[in-house]
Amino acid sequence: MSYESPIREPLVNGGKTYADVTRDILRPMENKASKGWWIGFTVSAIVLGIWIAASTYTFLTGLGVWGLNKTVGWAFDITNFVFWVGIGHAGTLISAVLLLFRQKWRMSINRSAEAMTIFAVLCAASFILSHMGRPWVAYWPIPLPNAFGTLWVNFNSPLVWDVFAISTYFSVSLVFWYIGLIPDIATTRDRAIGFRKTIYNFLSMGWNGSTRTWHRYEMISLILAGISTPLVFSVHSIVSMDFATSLVPGWHTTIFPPYFVAGAIFSGFGMVLTLLVIGRVVLKQEEYITMGHLDAMCRVVMLTGTMVGLAYITEFFVAAYSGVEYEQYAFINRASGPYWWSYWIMMGCNLIAPQVFWTKWARSTPWFIFVMSIIVNIGMWFERFVIIVTSLHRDFLPSSWTMYTPTLTEFMILFGSFGLFFTLYFLFIRYLPTINMAEVKSIIPTHSHDDHGSHAHAEKGETVHG
Amino acid sequence: MLLGVYDNPDATLNVTKSLKEKGYDVYDVYTPFAIHNLDRVLGVKRSRLSTAAFCFAMTGLVSAISLQSFTSYFDWPMLIGGKPFLHIPTYIPITFELSILFTAFGMVGSFFVVNKMFWGRNTDIIDLRVTDDRFVIAVNVHDGKTDVNELSNIFKKGGALEVRERINEL
């Protein structure tokens, strides 16, 4: 069905047949869980336990267990929230934006990236809940008729926009992900027996592969991609407006929406790389997630890293050029004040470090990509920390200048949120196909089926990844 | 009903095309992935899901604007920071989000309805391998009208791995 120019690197190596794709991708689900999976899952579950313990302690005691004070009212909570939401965005970008641009390399990575989106947004939502302090009244920002004589929410507030944006984003991503999963769940169903068959049969909603269904399926995928693309941009723009619409120097900048979106792509691709560089080896999917995929993602990381770096410098320039001394001080304080180290971690990790991806070696060395992806994650976490804490801790009134020091509980919640994320991710790789089989099958050259094993692609694949 | 089972999407497409040209009553083609152009060859009408999407988007848009203007202008106007009660620009983000939310859920709901898909539906699948690596062309056989031998010859000539009968419709 699909023709590939011999000049281009194949998207899938190893001269796979359709049956090979099914077998390879379902292998981690159909076999007994490997020792590695159990170790990973157990460790994640323990870390999740830390999250549960620290969150419960916070909820039972109150926000006083955090290091917040009257000057710094947002710190780790919102840093972590923006960090996780940003990570989530790569999933939508890979599946929706790359679908609109007809980038076929997305097909091996979109499923796991979308799963990452959903789990990351869950982590982010948990910080929204916990930063409210009283999570049992977390429904207050929703415009519901209530016991106060129907006092409605303030629709002028970006915090209310955020509630709508994040919940829309979560539910639309979930639906998009599930729609993409249905044909693959059907494949799983038709190979399963017993109880597993019952479960996958339930989830497959009676998918039978009819051309009429495929026709509608293609259309709905395209429309969902079409609406997800502006959605993902709007969501992170709205997140940035939580800051940008305020009057705090360092937050009150019109560059925030595009700069946050670029940062989200950057951190999201960083996290996708972290997961896939490991995942492709552990799940034996090197032939599907090829070096070409890693290379493409490294380029995206480099581009978006440079974009956020440009934004940092632009902010400085605008502050200097504005002639507003509060604005100027906020930025001087960022780079040379008491939190200078966090600013320079951010600059080093986000602007300077990704420049190594100009070299072919860096883009084609998995262990190095993995290290870089961790650096990107650290840098993007610090970006949010810098924006939030350094802008707040020295406000307009020097008498209320103060320092913020996180407590152990806050560290435990941050650390524990990775447990939440990875526990869900490990469950995902065990119970759902991690690569979109139907899409991958559609990009395999038909001829590789006829002369399996003797085709040039197969030989090339073996020599590169043997 | 006569089924031709193939292992190659190009062959499937070509055979379907020639069957359609010769006027056979092709019931449906079952494939493990979407084959480009096959829907056109089969004469599947362009789905109206995109129109539905637009209607759902408009529903979301109207609901969002009504909700926001009703609550903050008609029902309980509240002075916050001296801002106007009916302040359309600040309604844009929520209006946008709700339009998308309504579109996504409305579309997916309609998709399930038109395909008669629901959780727990028992699948009567034409061939178990059709979700793996086989392509099945199903042609309705009308007693007396359809030449079964010729049909199965076309199937075989096109590269069918097997040709078999099936009584029940799917």
Side-chain angles (χ1 to χ4, degrees), chain B residues 82-96:
Chain B
K83 295 198 178 69
F85 297 128
L86 193 67
H87 196 216
I88 300 293
T90 57
Y91 296 169
I92 292 173
I94 291 178
T95 308
F96 179 77

Side-chain angles (χ1 to χ4, degrees), chain A residues 53-72:
Chain A
S55 302
T56 312
Y57 176 60
T58 305
F59 291 157
L60 292 178
T61 321
L63 287 193
V65 298
W66 293 358
L68 303 175
N69 50 50
K70 72 178 169 62
T71 312
V72 185

